[in-house]
Amino acid sequence: MAELRHFLDLSDAGGDAIAAMLADAIDRKAARATWPKGQTDADQPLAGHVLGMVFEKNSTRTRVSFDIAMRQLGGSTLTLDSSSSQLGRGETIADTARVLSRMVDVIMLRTDDHAKIEEMARHATVPVINGLTDRSHPCQIVADLLTVVERGKTLPGLEVAWFGDGNNVLHSILEAAALMKFNVRVATPAGYEPEMEFVELARAAGSSVTLTQDAAEAADGADVVVTDTWVSMGQEHTHNKLAAMAPYQVNDALMARAKEGSVFLHCLPAHVGEEVTESVFESDQSVVFEEAENRIHAQKSVLLWCFGKL
Ligand code: CP
Ligand code: NVA
């Protein structure tokens, strides 16, 4: 039996596959530009296939984009959440994986502890996709890469600047830097740096990763400016954290230091007035809603890769 293609992190696919995903997403998006969103792609490559989505945390974009992605590929979806499934009453991930594998063709899980998705993948006999864990958010970053490539940027050598909390989204950006050969400047308060494992991965692959507490230094000459919520799902809102994050707000002064033609990314949901000002969020440089739409196009490619169709 061919080895299962799980997509727990970007490295599971590798740089060549991610490049193929981006190319396919661009082609499929262009081919259906004027069609209704529920119409299937002409080739319906996943006809007859079912995606089972399991949510242990809230979601708008991931949930809707995977649903529409699967429909456009000719397949269908079903959604479980922990409060209304037996997972919420203590049924194990291992048993859930074995049951779902007999009922659906691919599983997407959004959960807290990354070990849970690894457990799901160990026991599933169908591909498992990471729809966000506390450690990483790889599907988001495929959409982010698609968004910057669509804006005419070339990934190798790109200067990406991150501001705020060193979180799951940043971890996947660092992993993408290693695979697609771009550089990352990370500006966080002391104590909120990303896990060094991701920094070292990117550096070992030849990417430059700067860790600084100086937001201006990170912004100087950046091609892409990125931030995210200061408090991720499952984390505590503390006055101390919000106060520490304040100097890392993406505002007009920070954007003015970035390169002309730079773009602003945010995975959303945003807390306008906290990690980003309204003026930047609503500016022409902000591509956050294209980025959100691209979750559909990017995930179609992720799904096709999982089925060995890319
Ligand atoms: N960006 C993102 O994953 O959004 P949701 O939490 O709404 O899925
Ligand atoms: N870092 C955020 C991303 C939400 C899409 C979180 O984990 O809550």
Side-chain angles (χ1 to χ4, degrees):
M1 202 171 81
E3 203 170 309
L4 281 174
R5 285 189 170 185
H6 298 304
F7 188 70
L8 304 195
D9 273 311
L10 296 165
S11 304
D12 290 335
D16 290 347
I18 290 170
M21 288 180 197
L22 299 178
D24 191 65
I26 287 168
D27 288 349
R28 284 186 182 275
K29 184 176 176 180
R32 56 172 306 114
T34 59
W35 298 0
K37 297 175 184 66
Q39 188 171 323
T40 55
D41 287 358
D43 55 346
Q44 300 194 18
L46 296 189
H49 292 70
V50 182
L51 164 68
M53 298 192 280
V54 183
F55 288 95
E56 295 203 293
K57 283 181 172 177
N58 292 40
S59 170
T60 298
R61 278 146 291 271
T62 303
R63 179 177 180 146
V64 178
S65 59
F66 263 110
D67 193 328
I68 299 302
M70 200 62 190
R71 290 188 209 200
Q72 291 184 357
L73 293 171
S76 59
T77 65
L78 58 85
T79 304
L80 294 179
D81 57 54
S82 46
S83 63
S84 61
S85 69
Q86 298 291 6
L87 269 173
R89 295 183 59 250
E91 186 166 16
T92 63
I93 291 275
D95 288 356
T96 305
R98 288 183 286 180
V99 171
L100 288 182
S101 294
R102 288 167 182 262
M103 298 182 176
V104 302
D105 301 292
V106 52
I107 299 167
M108 189 232 72
L109 174 63
R110 167 169 285 199
T111 189
D112 40 28
D113 186 354
H114 196 79
K116 288 192 190 173
I117 199 159
E118 291 173 337
E119 175 85 349
M120 179 76 93
R122 254 195 310 281
H123 293 279
T125 53
V126 299
V128 174
I129 297 173
N130 177 359
L132 179 146
T133 66
D134 290 348
R135 176 184 152 94
S136 58
H137 196 3
C139 291
Q140 178 67 52
I141 302 314
V142 183
D144 290 11
L145 298 180
L146 176 59
T147 309
V148 301
V149 167
E150 277 182 337
R151 286 287 171 141
K153 302 193 184 303
T154 307
L155 296 179
L158 198 71
E159 297 291 335
V160 175
W162 174 274
F163 300 90
D165 191 24
N167 68 12
N168 46 3
V169 174
L170 174 59
H171 291 159
S172 291
I173 289 178
L174 289 165
E175 199 168 352
L179 297 170
M180 309 313 282
K181 313 287 176 218
F182 59 85
N183 305 315
V184 190
R185 302 97 169 277
V186 178
T188 65
Y192 293 99
E193 294 86 1
E195 284 176 23
M196 282 310 288
E197 174 197 337
F198 290 96
V199 173
E200 280 155 15
L201 181 82
R203 285 181 177 157
S207 301
S208 154
V209 180
T210 312
L211 299 180
T212 176
Q213 291 168 24
D214 180 351
E217 180 196 341
D220 276 337
D223 296 294
V224 178
V225 171
V226 201
T227 190
D228 186 13
T229 180
W230 289 339
V231 183
S232 284
M233 289 181 278
Q235 294 179 345
E236 233 180 297
H237 253 95
T238 64
H239 175 72
N240 284 352
K241 184 169 186 184
L242 297 189
M245 291 291 159
Y248 302 88
Q249 182 189 60
V250 178
N251 53 32
D252 288 328
L254 204 70
M255 288 303 290
R257 305 190 79 105
K259 230 179 244 168
E260 210 183 320
S262 60
V263 293
F264 171 70
L265 294 179
H266 190 310
C267 65
L268 306 180
H271 303 78
V272 172
E274 291 189 7
E275 70 270 11
V276 58
T277 59
E278 184 175 6
S279 150
V280 171
F281 190 77
E282 300 295 347
S283 70
D284 290 343
Q285 281 168 286
S286 171
V287 292
V288 298
F289 294 106
E290 288 165 45
E291 181 185 2
E293 177 190 331
N294 279 337
R295 294 293 303 279
I296 299 177
H297 308 295
Q299 281 151 202
K300 286 164 76 175
S301 299
V302 170
L303 286 160
L304 290 173
W305 177 80
C306 287
F307 285 106
K309 290 177 185 280
L310 254 194

